[in-house]
Amino acid sequence: MNAELEYSVMQYHAAELRRAAAEERRVREARKGLRSERRHRSVLAKFLSS
């Protein structure tokens, strides 16, 4: 394969990996946020019920 074409393919692949990693990070952060919200809600519910 042409070296320039191979380089372009490698760059594209690296960009895809970065995009996938960023998406995974966003999903992880969103889940973490939901978990903490849930925890705060239950604390609030305990406080209101007492």
Side-chain angles (χ1 to χ4, degrees):
M1 195 184 323
N2 184 346
E4 291 166 3
L5 180 60
E6 196 170 325
Y7 181 71
S8 295
V9 169
M10 283 179 12
Q11 280 186 319
Y12 178 78
H13 185 63
E16 285 292 307
L17 289 174
R18 280 193 297 275
R19 247 179 262 130
E23 178 67 25
E24 199 170 314
R25 223 175 296 118
R26 280 191 292 273
V27 168
R28 227 178 295 124
E29 288 297 316
R31 282 188 187 146
K32 193 191 310 181
L34 289 176
R35 246 184 276 132
S36 66
E37 282 178 25
R38 220 178 299 135
R39 198 175 309 124
H40 292 310
R41 253 184 271 136
S42 64
V43 169
L44 182 62
K46 287 177 187 176
F47 175 74
L48 291 175
S49 66
S50 62

